Amino acid sequence: MRFRTIALLTMIGFLAWAPPPAAASDDVQAQLREMRERLAQAEDRLQATNDQLEASKQRLSDQQSMLERSGVASGAGASSGLASFLETVEIGGWVNASYWYNVNDPDNDDL
C-alpha cells in the first residue's frame, strides 16, 4: 500500500510538472508561423533586390549603347585620345658640356 501511494504521488508530481501537450504544441505552431512570416519577408526583399539589379543592368546597357551611338566612347580602349597621342610621341635629345681654362696665364681675363 505504501508503494502504491508513493507511486501515485510521483505520477501526480510528474503530471503537474510537465506542461500540457496542447500548450507546447501551440508554442511550436506560433514559432513556426513566425518563421514562415520571416521567410516570406526575406523572399520579398530578395525579389526586390533582384528587380533593382535587373533594372540597373538594363540602364547600364542603355547608357553604353547611347555612348557608342554618339561616338563619345568606343567599345574598347580608352575614352580619351590622350593615351593614343602619348603612344606616338618620341622624345630624344643630346647633352653637351664643355669647360675652357687657360693654363698659360690664368690671371689673364682675355680670351
Side-chain angles (χ1 to χ4, degrees):
M1 173 115 160
R2 184 174 178 167
F3 177 73
R4 286 184 187 178
T5 307
I6 292 175
L8 182 64
L9 289 175
T10 305
M11 287 175 58
I12 290 173
F14 279 128
L15 290 175
W17 179 68
S25 176
D26 290 342
D27 207 22
V28 169
Q29 291 297 326
Q31 288 178 349
L32 185 60
R33 194 172 26 256
E34 181 183 342
M35 288 174 57
R36 284 182 182 157
E37 290 173 1
R38 291 179 67 191
L39 181 62
Q41 290 173 355
E43 287 175 345
D44 292 343
R45 283 186 289 193
L46 178 63
Q47 185 61 39
T49 303
N50 285 340
D51 293 343
Q52 287 177 349
L53 178 62
E54 289 301 320
S56 296
K57 285 181 180 178
Q58 183 62 37
R59 187 170 49 243
L60 179 63
S61 175
D62 293 344
Q63 290 173 350
Q64 184 66 30
S65 64
M66 186 183 348
L67 287 173
E68 288 175 358
R69 279 193 314 259
S70 67
V72 174
S74 62
S79 61
S80 71
L82 181 62
S84 62
F85 170 74
L86 290 177
E87 289 176 358
T88 61
V89 172
E90 284 187 31
I91 298 175
W94 56 275
V95 176
N96 186 10
S98 65
Y99 182 76
W100 185 76
Y101 184 74
N102 186 355
V103 210
N104 293 327
D105 190 10
D107 293 331
N108 186 2
D109 289 334
D110 288 339
L111 298 176

